[in-house]
C-alpha cells in the first residue's frame, strides 16, 4: 500500500496493530422475536466520563447480528472467561442464519432485551446512539446502560485463544477470515460520506 511517496512495510506495524484487539466478547442482541450472537470484531471504550460509559463496537455488515443490531438499536457485550474457548467456535464459525447459536446456553434478558450469558466474565448492556459506515463494517457507538463484572482475573483474549485452539478450528477460522478479507477488500471503500 502506498502512503504518500513510500510503500508501507506491514511487518513493521503488525506488532502494534496486534495489540489493539480487545478481549473476546460475544455480541448478543434480540430483534423480531429471535436472539443471535457473534464474536465482536473490535470493541473500544468511548468515554472518559465515569458515570457516562460508552463503547464503540465494529460489526461486519455480512453478519446477521449486524442486521439485528441495526433494527433493535441495542446489544450486549458478553466478555468470555478463559474457560469458554468452545464458545469462540460456536459463536464465530457458524451463522445465526443456519442455526440458533444460543440454544442450550444459560442466559437471562438484559434491560433492553439482549441476552446476557450467565457464565461469562462480565457483560455490558448497551443502547446504540450513533453509527459510522466503514464500508465492510459499521462502527456502533453505544451508551452502556447496565453491566457487571462476574469473573476474577481477566477475560479471554484472542492471542490466548489462538494458542489453545485445535488445528481444525484454526484451519476453519483462517478459511472464514480469508473469505471475510476478500469481501472487505471489495467493500471497505464503499462508504457513505458524511454530509
Amino acid at each position: 500500500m502506498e502512503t504518500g511517496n513510500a510503500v508501507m512495510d506491514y511487518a513493521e506495524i503488525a506488532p502494534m496493530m496486534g495489540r489493539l484487539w480487545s478481549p473476546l466478547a460475544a455480541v448478543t442482541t434480540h430483534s423480531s422475536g429471535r436472539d443471535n450472537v457473534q464474536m465482536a470484531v473490535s470493541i473500544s471504550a468511548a468515554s472518559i466520563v465515569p458515570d457516562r460509559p460508552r463503547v464503540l463496537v465494529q460489526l461486519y455488515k455480512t453478519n446477521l447480528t449486524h442486521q439485528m443490531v441495526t433494527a433493535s438499536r441495542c446489544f450486549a457485550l458478553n466478555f468470555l472467561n478463559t474457560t469458554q474457548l468452545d464458545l469462540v467456535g460456536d459463536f464465530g464459525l457458524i451463522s445465526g442464519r443456519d442455526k440458533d447459536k444460543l440454544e442450550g446456553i444459560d442466559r437471562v434478558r438484559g434491560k433492553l432485551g439482549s441476552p446476557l450469558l450467565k457464565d461469562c466474565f462480565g457483560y455490558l448492556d448497551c443502547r446504540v446512539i450513533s453509527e459510522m459506515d466503514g464500508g465492510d463494517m459499521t462502527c456502533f457507538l453505544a451508551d452502556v446502560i447496565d453491566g457487571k463484572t462476574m469473573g476474577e482475573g481477566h477475560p479471554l483474549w484472542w492471542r490466548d485463544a489462538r494458542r489453545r485452539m485445535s488445528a481444525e478450528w484454526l484451519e476453519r477460522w483462517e478459511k472464514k477470515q480469508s473469505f471475510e478479507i476478500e469481501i472487505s477488500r471489495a467493500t471497505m471503500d464503499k462508504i457513505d460520506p458524511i454530509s
Side-chain angles (χ1 to χ4, degrees):
M1 174 180 185
E2 290 195 23
T3 55
N5 295 329
V7 175
M8 182 186 303
D9 180 356
Y10 293 105
E12 291 294 322
I13 65 167
M16 289 182 296
M17 294 300 293
R19 295 188 193 289
L20 296 179
W21 292 103
S22 57
L24 290 176
V27 180
T28 54
T29 192
H30 179 84
S31 179
S32 302
R34 71 183 289 197
D35 293 337
N36 199 44
V37 60
Q38 76 164 71
M39 296 308 299
V41 173
S42 179
I43 305 162
S44 177
S47 172
I48 62 169
V49 181
D51 58 345
R52 298 283 309 276
R54 288 183 172 170
V55 292
L56 288 170
V57 176
Q58 296 175 24
L59 301 177
Y60 286 123
K61 292 179 179 179
T62 57
N63 291 336
L64 176 62
T65 302
H66 180 282
Q67 295 169 1
M68 293 174 71
V69 168
T70 300
S72 68
R73 310 304 290 167
C74 64
F75 60 86
L77 298 173
N78 300 268
F79 294 90
L80 301 185
N81 275 311
T82 57
T83 59
Q84 293 179 304
L85 180 63
D86 58 324
L87 294 181
V88 175
D90 294 343
F91 296 165
L93 295 176
I94 56 176
S95 172
R97 291 179 181 92
D98 301 327
K99 72 173 267 185
D100 178 357
K101 296 194 285 184
L102 287 167
E103 183 178 344
I105 302 294
D106 200 12
R107 62 193 187 269
V108 296
R109 292 268 168 227
K111 291 185 177 181
L112 299 174
S114 296
L116 305 176
L117 307 184
K118 283 186 163 183
D119 296 326
C120 65
F121 179 82
Y123 69 86
L124 300 173
D125 198 7
C126 305
R127 176 185 296 114
V128 174
I129 58 172
S130 186
E131 59 188 69
M132 181 186 77
D133 182 13
D136 58 336
M137 59 82 183
T138 301
C139 185
F140 294 96
L141 175 64
D143 283 330
V144 177
I145 62 152
D146 193 25
K148 185 175 184 179
T149 302
M150 301 178 293
E152 293 185 19
H154 56 86
L156 182 62
W157 288 78
W158 177 241
R159 63 182 175 266
D160 300 324
R162 279 188 66 93
R163 284 192 284 260
R164 295 175 39 210
M165 282 183 172
S166 70
E168 184 228 343
W169 270 23
L170 286 172
E171 183 179 325
R172 286 177 60 200
W173 191 270
E174 293 301 325
K175 184 178 178 182
K176 181 180 184 300
Q177 280 300 98
S178 294
F179 175 74
E180 293 288 346
I181 288 169
E182 288 308 308
I183 291 173
S184 291
R185 281 191 204 285
T187 60
M188 64 191 307
D189 291 328
K190 296 178 181 177
I191 299 172
D192 288 333
I194 298 172
S195 41

